[in-house]
Amino acid sequence: MSVLVIADHDLGTLSPATARVVHAASQLGPIDLLVLGQDAANVATEAAKLAGVAKVLVAQGPGTSDADSQVIEKLAAGYLYVIQSAGSAGRDRMPGVAAKLDLMPVTDVVEILGPNRFVRPIYAGNALQTVTDNQPRHVLTLRASAFRAAPAGPAAPIEVLDSALDSVVKLLRSDRTQSDTADLATAQIVIGGGVALGSAENYQLLESLAKKLGAAVGATRAAVDAGYAPNDWQIGQTGKIIAPDLYIAIGISGALQHLAGIQGAKKIVAINTDAEAPLVKLADLALIGDLFEIIPQLTAELDRLGVSR
Ligand SMILES: Cc1cc2nc3c(=O)[nH]c(=O)nc-3n(C[C@H](O)[C@H](O)[C@H](O)COP(=O)(O)OP(=O)(O)OC[C@H]3O[C@@H](n4cnc5c(N)ncnc54)[C@H](O)[C@@H]3O)c2cc1C
């Protein structure tokens, strides 16, 4: 009885979140890493190289949530822990898996204190709760950004499961957001923009700065609601939770719902015209001034210094 981790992957590439979940879960026991869905075979070789992985299990299938859940539920009986990152797939799938196994899931874990003690945020991240989970088995989702990534290890064996998967769900089409900046959930530097940017075009100011720094771009809900930024850029209580080394908040007031998404940021820089804005007061460093003057100057200075990732 050990640990079953469900891999996150997309377009034939393993998500960086999986390496972080593997590293965190390795303190609970040897890990079998399950790769589900389309492109599963391609991802398995990459997954096998993570330290802590004892075996990679591959279940090639239609990649629909009901088919994937069937595989997890069948396999779960053999494991003490079933774990996935708290990304969109894990959030969607794991409560259902837990219900089928008659277990209560422990979600959004940010620290593992022992075999059945886990820390998770509550009240929109304003408090941390330590949960003692006395159930016989544990279904967890982990906030990947709270953990370090597993290093490379010796290649683990890969086992292809004989899974004739039925699905009542038929995938007709998927629409993708194209982005050439880093992934928001796992980026080490994130640049967030607020409604003060004033238009979708002006977000290009942030994107060109982000490309130089190897950063991801995010936004406030006010900016998303105004149509300036796509929905999947939203950071906060009802958006993505981030924990970068550096968060640069540009034209963002710092409403509680936004702060709920950035509490894991190690350093915060705020750029704002208002010295009294809550995010300015919270920041490690604040530049008080007009973003439309400061950002071009910053970008030009990075150009002059030859900074480019
Ligand atoms: C149930 C609920 C859930 C929510 N969930 C989220 C969430 O997940 N994420 C989220 O972000 N919000 C969320 N919100 C919305 C939240 O309450 C705020 O309204 C929002 O975060 C404000 O966004 P903002 O900072 O862009 O805008 P504002 O609060 O309007 O702030 C704009 C800032 O830009 C500064 N500024 C203006 N012009 C310039 C300039 N030229 N240069 C520099 N600075 C300038 C201003 O001084 C101000 O500080 C939620 C709200 C509710 C009710």
Side-chain angles (χ1 to χ4, degrees):
M1 292 282 267
S2 54
V3 184
L4 181 69
V5 170
I6 322 300
D8 287 282
H9 63 96
D10 192 26
L11 294 175
T13 306
L14 194 67
S15 153
T18 302
R20 291 168 181 257
V21 173
V22 163
H23 190 57
S26 62
Q27 60 188 289
L28 299 169
I31 294 169
D32 287 354
L33 186 58
L34 174 63
V35 187
L36 289 156
Q38 295 170 336
D39 293 328
N42 300 341
V43 177
T45 322
E46 212 183 327
K49 292 178 198 151
L50 293 174
V53 174
K55 188 164 55 177
V56 174
L57 304 172
V58 176
Q60 191 88 31
T64 54
S65 57
D66 64 329
D68 291 350
S69 297
Q70 287 170 40
V71 180
I72 300 168
E73 284 150 29
K74 264 191 220 156
L75 288 173
Y79 294 90
L80 199 49
Y81 301 90
V82 181
I83 305 178
Q84 185 166 8
S85 86
S88 45
R91 274 196 229 178
D92 177 45
R93 169 192 291 154
M94 296 307 263
V97 168
K100 284 276 180 63
L101 300 173
D102 203 17
L103 296 168
M104 181 197 73
V106 181
T107 56
D108 284 320
V109 171
V110 292
E111 195 180 348
I112 297 173
L113 297 177
N116 67 344
R117 276 166 65 79
F118 310 104
V119 179
R120 61 187 298 275
I122 52 171
Y123 302 128
N126 286 307
L128 291 172
Q129 175 187 49
T130 300
V131 178
T132 303
D133 178 1
N134 286 325
Q135 299 174 106
R137 291 183 293 138
H138 313 277
V139 175
L140 311 174
T141 63
L142 265 54
R143 280 199 184 167
S145 52
F147 302 95
R148 281 189 299 118
I158 297 173
E159 186 181 318
V160 178
L161 301 176
D162 181 18
S163 52
L165 295 175
D166 290 331
S167 176
V168 291
V169 179
K170 198 169 162 200
L171 185 62
L172 297 179
R173 199 186 74 188
S174 54
D175 294 324
R176 312 195 146 267
T177 313
Q178 299 292 343
S179 171
D180 50 3
T181 51
D183 174 39
L184 194 53
T186 50
Q188 299 305 298
I189 305 177
V190 172
I191 299 179
V195 76
L197 265 295
S199 73
E201 291 70 43
N202 287 340
Y203 266 81
Q204 283 165 11
L205 281 175
L206 304 198
E207 287 184 75
S208 53
L209 181 61
K211 278 182 206 151
K212 291 193 190 311
L213 296 173
V217 181
T220 62
R221 175 159 154 181
V224 170
D225 287 349
Y228 302 161
N231 193 277
D232 60 347
W233 283 11
Q234 186 177 316
I235 297 168
Q237 184 185 343
T238 46
K240 289 193 172 143
I241 307 291
I242 59 166
D245 291 337
L246 175 62
Y247 180 51
I248 306 175
I250 300 176
I252 296 179
S253 59
L256 275 180
Q257 295 90 350
H258 186 75
L259 299 184
I262 62 165
Q263 282 172 347
K266 293 181 190 66
K267 292 277 178 222
I268 298 175
V269 173
I271 300 175
N272 202 308
T273 43
D274 178 7
E276 298 300 314
L279 199 39
V280 169
K281 294 196 163 169
L282 182 81
D284 297 280
L285 178 76
L287 297 174
I288 306 303
D290 186 344
L291 71 93
F292 295 105
E293 287 172 18
I294 293 174
I295 302 304
Q297 283 173 16
L298 197 56
T299 309
E301 187 61 11
L302 290 171
D303 274 341
R304 196 183 66 76
L305 295 170
V307 175
S308 178
R309 296 260 181 124

